[in-house]
Amino acid sequence: MASSPDATASNGSSPETPESGSAAGQGRRGRVRLRRAAVMAVPATAVAAGLMIATAQGALGVQFAISGMPFTVTATELNGTGFEQFGGLDNMAEGSPNAGDTGGQVLVVTSAIRNATLDHLCQSVDLGGTNLLITAGSGADKVQATNLTTDSTELSGNASFNNIEIGNDASTLTKAGVQGPIGVFSQQADTVRIANLRQTNYATTAGVFKLPGLKLRFSEQGC
């Protein structure tokens, strides 16, 4: 979803220990923080590289405690068959430092797509001072996902739908095989196309997630 070079003396001699207020000391502490951030980001890498989480029919898209750290997803184009969308709540792990005054809950819009392809996928996570950046599907092969769900707080793009139904009860949805809570407003469609997609997400699950041309790196810029 990368290691820093060790700080060693070029002449082979042991470096002097910098004073706590020196620029060298601050630089080393910065590298330590970056390494810690990279370690914390490893689970996100594993998820993006080969997410194989089964999405149970009749359940909400997310079946795990979210970190509470939002991430950005963009694509030049998304095409999907079997589309559903409804509201829900995601929950953080108990005692999460990211809970703030939210009580550990985030109000989200869950989008479910039975089969999806995405062009030029980009995902970035702000780790504080640097971004963990993932790109895929920028060549001839597109990113492919089955039973894809995303839990978002923001979504934008130019969208078009075929055979859309608006105002369904979320518990009665049929197009993507996922049902939401009873009494919740929802919509569904046979197909969806979104150009210039941009999302702020808190969770993603998929039955299969294929990422051709995957590249992962740290970057000053996010998606």
Side-chain angles (χ1 to χ4, degrees):
M1 279 216 146
S3 60
S4 301
D6 294 334
T8 57
S10 59
N11 60 5
S13 61
S14 299
E16 295 180 1
T17 302
E19 296 179 1
S20 60
S22 68
Q26 293 174 355
R28 290 185 180 182
R29 288 195 297 273
R31 286 191 290 272
V32 169
R33 285 195 294 269
L34 180 57
R35 284 196 291 270
R36 288 175 178 170
V39 169
M40 289 188 292
V42 167
T45 303
V47 169
L51 189 60
M52 299 294 290
I53 300 174
T55 303
Q57 184 172 353
L60 292 176
V62 171
Q63 298 291 308
F64 52 84
I66 63 171
S67 70
M69 295 178 64
F71 54 96
T72 299
V73 174
T74 65
T76 55
E77 183 174 293
L78 177 150
N79 285 281
T81 57
F83 171 80
E84 301 173 356
Q85 197 170 64
F86 53 88
L89 282 173
D90 283 354
N91 294 279
M92 302 178 203
E94 185 175 355
S96 171
N98 299 319
D101 59 358
T102 66
Q105 291 186 319
V106 179
L107 181 64
V108 297
V109 174
T110 295
S111 301
I113 304 176
R114 189 179 295 276
N115 294 287
T117 60
L118 300 98
D119 289 339
H120 292 81
L121 176 69
C122 178
Q123 176 179 305
S124 62
V125 184
D126 187 350
L127 299 175
T130 189
N131 290 274
L132 181 64
L133 185 68
I134 296 170
T135 56
S138 58
D141 296 328
K142 302 176 182 179
V143 171
Q144 298 181 43
T146 61
N147 298 327
L148 174 69
T149 68
T150 57
D151 284 7
S152 313
T153 54
E154 294 183 28
L155 187 155
S156 63
N158 299 312
S160 61
F161 305 90
N162 284 333
N163 297 323
I164 191 168
E165 302 171 0
I166 301 174
N168 310 61
D169 188 292
S171 67
T172 67
L173 297 176
T174 60
K175 302 292 186 179
V178 176
Q179 287 81 45
I182 190 170
V184 171
F185 181 93
S186 69
Q187 60 184 4
Q188 64 178 358
D190 287 345
T191 66
V192 58
R193 177 185 178 273
I194 305 177
N196 300 318
L197 171 69
R198 186 174 188 87
Q199 294 176 300
T200 300
N201 293 345
Y202 277 84
T204 297
T205 69
V208 175
F209 209 176
K210 297 181 179 180
L211 298 163
L214 173 69
K215 293 183 180 179
L216 181 152
R217 60 195 180 276
F218 290 103
S219 173
E220 293 182 357
Q221 301 293 326
C223 297

